[in-house]
Amino acid sequence: MRALGLLAPLLGLGLGLALSLPPPAATDCTSLGPSERLAFSPAARTRWLAPRVRAPGPLDPLYGMVRRFLSVVQLNPFPSELVKALLNEPSSLKVDEVVRYEAGYVVCAVTAGLYLVAVPTTGLCFCCCRCRRRCGGRVKTEHKAMACERGTLMAFLLLTTIILLAGVVCAFVTNQRTHEQMGPSVEAVPETLRSLRGLVSDVPGELETVAKQFSVPQEQVLKELDGIGESIGPTIHSQLRSTMYSVLASVHSLGQALQVSMDRLRALNSTLVELQEGQQQLVLALEKHRDRLLTLLQQPGCRKDCTDTQDRARALELAADFTQVPPVDNVLHRLKGVPEANFSNMVQEENTTFNSLPFLVAMQMELVIKDLKEAVAQKPEGMGTLAEAFPELEAAPRWSRALEELEENSRPYLQEAQRYETYRWAVGCVLCSAVLLVVACNLLGLSLGIWGLSAREDPSQSEAKGEAGARFLMVGVGFSFVFAAPLILLVFLTFLVGGNVQTLVCRSWESGELYQFADTPGNLPPSLNLSHLLGMRKNVSVLLTYQQCREGAALWKVLQLDDSYNLEKHLDLSQQNLQNFKPNVQNLELLSPEAHRDLEALQSSGLEKVNYQAFRVQIQSPVVKTDLEQLAQELQGLAQAQGNSSLGQQLRMEAHGLRDLYQEKVVPRQNLVAQLNLSVRALESAAPRLQLQTAGVLSHVADLERELPARAARILMNESACFLSRELSYFSQYLAWVREEVTQRIATCQPLSAALDNGRVILCDMVADPWNAFWFCLAWCTFFLIPSVVFAVKTSKYFRPIRKRLSSTSSEETQLFHIPRVTSLKL
């Protein structure tokens, strides 16, 4: 019954808990711990288009070089008028304007045409000349500058061959890269269209799914409300526990110290009385022994050390006089009956009372928790109409059908593009292999020719190797002439397509000119107008829409739906309120009246004012000034040294008497002094601390009994605010999730901007760049075939054996084999 009164001083304290934003402030919420992270099921389908980015690679410098070359070829800006005429009235398109815009490509076409005519014609002429043995023969005579000419031609041919090899390797790589990128790029087109088609069509159903998940924070709050009554009580108990237990421990310790001090004080008093009562008997006994000893030691017949022993005998008197110490009767009188209270039982009872606090709080919160559950179970009206009030997108079905038709119609064209890409890849591999064959012939010809030149010691071997090297070079020349026409045709066709894609589409797409062109009224036909496709009353800017979607803007912001739909109104939870909670605490007594009287008596007893110094002075003094055992031993030795047997016998008897006196009187008195010493020391050290401890306990108990209700109220308010904040955090998680789900996933136009960006990356970075790099490298090889042919024909002459002619003006080498002509002699 006493424990039930633990909740009274807070009867007037009303703790209002209102479920509204923002939550009340709480100073310390560590007891409840952080709120759990709620898991919501995704309401939006996965339509978030991941951005496509071409990874940096070793071909990037080559792509940059090709783009710079195309920027030189096409210096004209975006032809908005030509494109407008092409989209709206194709018949009005003028050829001269197209040629003027494509002037750079026309120059390149003329160059390719000249190459297509000149190189095969030159090859045909060279073939006819070779058949008549008029071209590409051998060096007729050897001269001094021949070695220099031959070395120069070989160096240029090797350099040209290395350039051809680098170009054909790059052509192989870019050809394969184009082929590999075409498949994933084609497959990405339907995927992008499907994502755009589902952008708006599923919004109402997804909003309904979002509204239904309001039950997730509701269920979490209801689950935690079941345990809040058992949580707040222990929290209050745990926060007050350290203070309460500390005070109760101090009271218990003080009770034990009080009991010990009282026992010490009573022991001191009884020991002092016993010492004072036995002191007179010991004085009389010492006087008798002293008088007899002095009489014996002063006899004339006493020999040896009698004089020294007389001095010790005169010291047979008391050293410690306990009649000089002050009495403690008055202190004992003030502490009569102390301790009256049983401190151990009292502390245990208070501890049990305090530990019942969690149970009492839980009992009083049952009704409050019931009201809270009813308030939380109510669903806000706005959540029920979240999906119903969303603006009806009339253009959504039409847009979905258009995208579906576009997806279906694009599949045949995409398949055709893949098929033609396979043909292009195969032709490119064949022509690159032809260029690689020319490189191989040049390298073999150079290797065999140089080997033949270095083996001039064996004329037969050197001529065979040199002749083989020259033939390999001429085979390379033949391949160059044969494949020149297909090479220049493939280069020009791929250049014409890829170059225009880069300069007309990619460059303007990247700079934003395409969006500006689409935003200009009249440029696009009505069937391609964005506002018309979306069914909007207002014109929608393509560039602004793209920029807003790229920044993650909401769909209703891009489509200007802010005035027709207010999301915050449907997410308002401020109508829910919770009941007041009024738990209270009262009548907490940490000290009983008996304990109060005991401690007040101890404070006024004067225990710390006892003159313990006087006790120490007597305690530190010996019981007898001389050592009785040592004196008895000297008397025993002195008795043996005496010539007078009667005197010796008397000395022995005195020695025996002193020993008996020591054992019977002195030793018990020494034990009493030792006990007195323990009591004095304990009381002397404990009395000041005991008084301070008593004052501190009385003060702490008074303060705690006065402040405990207020502290309990503050803790209760803080814990209630913490609980409210924790529960509101679940609804805040839900609101944040709803905003994120609606604005960034359900109703976001990110797929639109991502589709445009991915389309540019697919067309320009993944297809056009390797495509243009391929024809650039192949053109590089094609035009370097010309110097390769020239240097191969020139170099082959020096690899063939030289036919030498004899003459009368020959060198000394020929003069050695000169046979003089025989002439007739005249007698």
Side-chain angles (χ1 to χ4, degrees):
M1 296 299 296
R2 181 173 178 273
L4 292 175
L6 212 115
L7 300 173
L10 304 180
L11 276 174
L13 176 65
L15 181 59
L17 304 179
L19 184 57
S20 58
L21 297 174
T27 57
D28 183 14
C29 298
T30 56
S31 59
L32 292 177
S35 59
E36 297 182 12
R37 188 67 182 173
L38 298 181
F40 299 98
S41 301
R45 297 180 181 178
T46 306
R47 289 191 306 272
W48 192 271
L49 283 182
R52 293 179 178 269
V53 179
R54 185 185 66 198
L59 295 178
D60 289 345
L62 179 60
Y63 296 157
M65 183 187 304
V66 177
R67 288 187 179 186
R68 287 190 291 272
F69 173 76
L70 289 175
S71 64
V72 174
V73 172
Q74 181 56 276
L75 299 174
N76 297 317
F78 180 74
S80 56
E81 295 298 329
L82 290 178
V83 177
K84 178 181 178 181
L86 180 64
L87 293 177
N88 292 279
E89 298 179 5
S91 59
S92 64
L93 196 64
K94 296 180 181 180
V95 178
D96 58 340
E97 294 180 355
V98 176
V99 172
R100 190 179 303 110
Y101 172 73
E102 299 281 356
Y105 291 95
V106 172
V107 173
C108 293
V110 172
T111 304
L114 292 175
Y115 187 97
L116 182 62
V117 173
V119 175
T121 302
T122 303
L124 184 62
C125 296
F126 182 76
C127 182
C128 295
C129 184
R130 283 287 295 164
C131 290
R132 296 184 179 184
R133 297 182 180 276
R134 294 180 180 274
C135 302
R138 66 185 75 236
V139 177
K140 303 298 183 181
T141 60
E142 186 175 357
H143 51 86
K144 295 181 179 180
M146 186 179 64
C148 180
E149 293 175 0
R150 183 177 58 206
T152 302
L153 290 173
M154 287 191 298
F156 278 110
L157 179 59
L158 179 61
L159 178 61
T160 305
T161 304
I162 292 173
I163 294 175
L164 282 174
L165 179 60
V168 76
V169 169
C170 293
F172 266 119
V173 172
T174 53
N175 186 46
Q176 186 64 27
R177 180 66 60 86
T178 304
H179 187 64
E180 291 174 353
Q181 294 288 356
M182 183 62 70
S185 300
V186 168
E187 294 174 359
V189 174
E191 177 186 350
T192 303
L193 293 176
R194 283 194 299 271
S195 178
L196 291 176
R197 190 174 61 191
L199 179 60
V200 180
S201 59
D202 297 330
V203 168
E206 293 170 352
L207 288 174
E208 184 66 28
T209 304
V210 168
K212 289 180 180 178
Q213 295 202 48
F214 183 75
S215 60
V216 175
Q218 272 185 328
E219 293 174 357
Q220 181 67 25
V221 172
L222 291 174
K223 183 179 72 172
E224 294 192 358
L225 278 173
D226 291 334
I228 185 59
E230 294 151 1
S231 172
I232 290 184
T235 301
I236 298 174
H237 178 269
S238 65
Q239 294 196 23
L240 293 177
R241 181 175 56 192
S242 60
T243 303
M244 284 291 299
Y245 286 172
S246 175
V247 173
L248 291 176
S250 301
V251 172
H252 187 264
S253 174
L254 180 59
Q256 290 180 335
L258 176 60
Q259 184 64 53
V260 170
S261 297
M262 289 302 302
D263 293 341
R264 292 289 186 185
L265 183 60
R266 293 189 183 100
L268 181 146
N269 185 62
S270 61
T271 303
L272 179 61
V273 170
E274 190 174 352
L275 285 172
Q276 290 175 347
E277 289 177 352
Q279 181 173 330
Q280 187 61 33
Q281 297 176 6
L282 181 59
V283 169
L284 294 176
L286 289 175
E287 288 178 353
K288 291 179 181 180
H289 281 282
R290 182 182 60 196
D291 293 341
R292 288 198 299 269
L293 276 177
L294 290 176
T295 302
L296 292 175
L297 293 174
Q298 290 176 358
Q299 290 181 11
C302 187
R303 298 179 180 178
K304 210 173 180 181
D305 297 330
C306 293
T307 305
D308 296 336
T309 306
Q310 289 178 17
D311 295 336
R312 294 188 183 90
R314 291 188 184 95
L316 282 175
E317 58 184 13
L318 285 178
D321 186 3
F322 287 98
T323 60
Q324 304 298 322
V325 298
V328 293
D329 297 339
N330 55 345
V331 177
L332 282 172
H333 178 72
R334 297 189 191 99
L335 294 174
K336 184 179 180 180
V338 175
E340 182 181 357
N342 189 332
F343 281 83
S344 297
N345 293 339
M346 180 189 67
V347 170
Q348 185 176 2
E349 181 181 353
E350 296 297 336
N351 196 18
T352 303
T353 302
F354 176 71
N355 289 336
S356 65
L357 180 63
F359 174 71
L360 298 177
V361 173
M363 288 178 54
Q364 292 195 358
M365 287 192 68
E366 290 181 357
L367 183 59
V368 177
I369 291 174
K370 181 180 178 181
D371 296 336
L372 290 175
K373 286 184 176 181
E374 292 178 357
V376 171
Q378 297 176 3
K379 187 175 182 180
E381 297 179 0
M383 300 305 300
T385 61
L386 180 64
E388 299 173 1
F390 198 84
E392 184 178 356
L393 301 178
E394 300 176 356
R398 183 169 66 254
W399 194 12
S400 298
R401 286 194 301 270
L403 289 173
E404 186 177 3
E405 292 176 1
L406 180 60
E407 179 183 352
E408 294 298 329
N409 295 334
S410 64
R411 290 186 183 276
Y413 295 103
L414 295 175
Q415 293 174 357
E416 287 295 314
Q418 281 188 300
R419 186 165 65 88
Y420 284 114
E421 163 58 22
T422 304
Y423 296 155
R424 184 209 62 79
W425 173 77
V427 173
C429 289
V430 171
L431 294 180
C432 289
S433 300
V435 177
L436 189 61
L437 190 59
V438 172
V439 172
C441 290
N442 286 350
L443 293 177
L444 284 174
L446 282 172
S447 301
L448 292 174
I450 294 172
W451 192 8
L453 292 175
S454 62
R456 286 299 177 93
E457 291 80 3
D458 188 352
S460 61
Q461 292 293 331
S462 65
E463 289 181 4
K465 295 170 185 174
E467 188 67 30
R471 288 180 180 180
F472 269 113
L473 292 179
M474 297 311 294
V475 169
V477 171
F479 280 127
S480 300
F481 286 129
V482 169
F483 289 102
L487 281 170
I488 195 63
L489 285 175
L490 180 62
V491 166
F492 180 72
L493 291 177
T494 53
F495 160 72
L496 187 62
V497 175
N500 278 288
V501 169
Q502 173 62 36
T503 56
L504 185 61
V505 180
C506 294
R507 189 167 65 186
S508 57
W509 197 342
E510 186 174 359
S511 64
E513 290 179 295
L514 277 181
Y515 301 122
Q516 296 175 2
F517 173 80
D519 283 338
T520 303
N523 284 348
L524 294 179
S527 59
L528 296 179
N529 185 270
L530 181 61
S531 301
H532 174 74
L533 290 175
L534 296 177
M536 302 300 297
R537 300 185 183 93
K538 301 178 181 180
N539 290 328
V540 178
S541 170
V542 177
L543 180 59
L544 182 59
T545 300
Y546 167 74
Q547 292 174 347
Q548 289 178 337
C549 291
R550 193 173 186 183
E551 293 173 358
L555 183 63
W556 56 75
K557 179 180 179 181
V558 175
L559 301 181
Q560 304 175 12
L561 302 175
D562 296 328
D563 298 334
S564 58
Y565 189 79
N566 188 356
L567 179 62
E568 298 298 328
K569 177 182 178 181
H570 295 278
L571 299 182
D572 186 14
L573 301 176
S574 60
Q575 298 115 357
Q576 298 189 13
N577 294 319
L578 304 182
Q579 297 289 332
N580 291 335
F581 177 41
K582 303 176 182 178
N584 302 301
V585 180
Q586 78 160 8
N587 294 342
L588 184 62
E589 293 180 351
L590 299 177
L591 288 178
S592 64
E594 294 83 0
H596 269 288
R597 288 196 296 270
D598 288 341
L599 297 181
E600 289 172 356
L602 178 61
Q603 277 190 314
S604 61
S605 64
L607 181 62
E608 76 283 0
K609 298 178 181 179
V610 175
N611 188 4
Y612 297 102
Q613 179 64 29
F615 282 90
R616 287 204 310 274
V617 170
Q618 300 304 323
I619 290 172
Q620 291 172 359
S621 301
V623 176
V624 182
K625 289 184 178 180
T626 187
D627 190 347
L628 295 183
E629 286 190 333
Q630 184 179 2
L631 179 59
Q633 187 176 359
E634 289 183 4
L635 291 176
Q636 188 71 30
L638 189 62
Q640 293 177 358
Q642 298 301 320
N644 188 347
S645 60
S646 174
L647 179 59
Q649 182 63 26
Q650 291 178 354
L651 290 174
R652 289 189 191 95
M653 292 176 64
E654 288 298 327
H656 182 70
L658 288 176
R659 288 192 180 96
D660 292 341
L661 178 64
Y662 178 76
Q663 293 296 330
E664 295 174 1
K665 301 290 185 180
V666 176
V667 170
R669 192 171 183 83
Q670 288 178 343
N671 292 334
L672 290 175
V673 171
Q675 294 177 8
L676 182 65
N677 185 36
L678 291 177
S679 299
V680 169
R681 288 182 179 275
L683 288 173
E684 184 181 17
S685 62
R689 293 199 307 271
L690 192 61
Q691 293 294 342
L692 292 176
Q693 188 177 0
T694 302
V697 167
L698 290 173
S699 175
H700 289 164
V701 167
D703 293 342
L704 185 59
E705 289 178 347
R706 182 177 62 255
E707 295 177 1
L708 185 62
R711 287 188 58 187
R714 287 195 299 270
I715 295 172
L716 179 60
M717 286 189 293
N718 183 72
E719 289 303 309
S720 301
C722 287
F723 175 75
L724 178 58
S725 177
R726 178 187 175 92
E727 305 317 309
L728 286 177
S729 68
Y730 295 130
F731 292 103
S732 298
Q733 289 183 43
Y734 174 72
L735 297 182
W737 176 77
V738 169
R739 290 188 184 96
E740 181 180 2
E741 198 74 10
V742 171
T743 60
Q744 298 185 21
R745 291 182 176 86
I746 293 178
T748 178
C749 64
Q750 187 271 345
L752 178 60
S753 63
L756 294 174
D757 290 336
N758 291 348
R760 186 192 61 79
V761 172
I762 291 170
L763 178 63
C764 302
D765 294 348
M766 296 185 177
V767 176
D769 277 349
W771 175 292
N772 291 329
F774 166 69
W775 64 252
F776 184 81
C777 295
L778 202 61
W780 171 357
C781 297
T782 302
F783 284 99
F784 268 93
L785 286 177
I786 296 175
S788 173
V789 168
V790 174
F791 293 132
V793 171
K794 291 289 186 181
T795 305
S796 65
K797 294 181 180 182
Y798 291 94
F799 289 162
R800 293 191 175 93
I802 302 173
R803 304 301 182 204
K804 301 178 182 179
R805 296 182 301 173
L806 297 176
S807 61
S808 60
T809 60
S810 61
S811 61
E812 294 181 358
E813 183 180 354
T814 59
Q815 291 293 332
L816 293 175
F817 300 95
H818 176 66
I819 301 175
R821 186 173 55 183
V822 178
T823 58
S824 59
L825 299 175
K826 293 180 179 182
L827 298 176

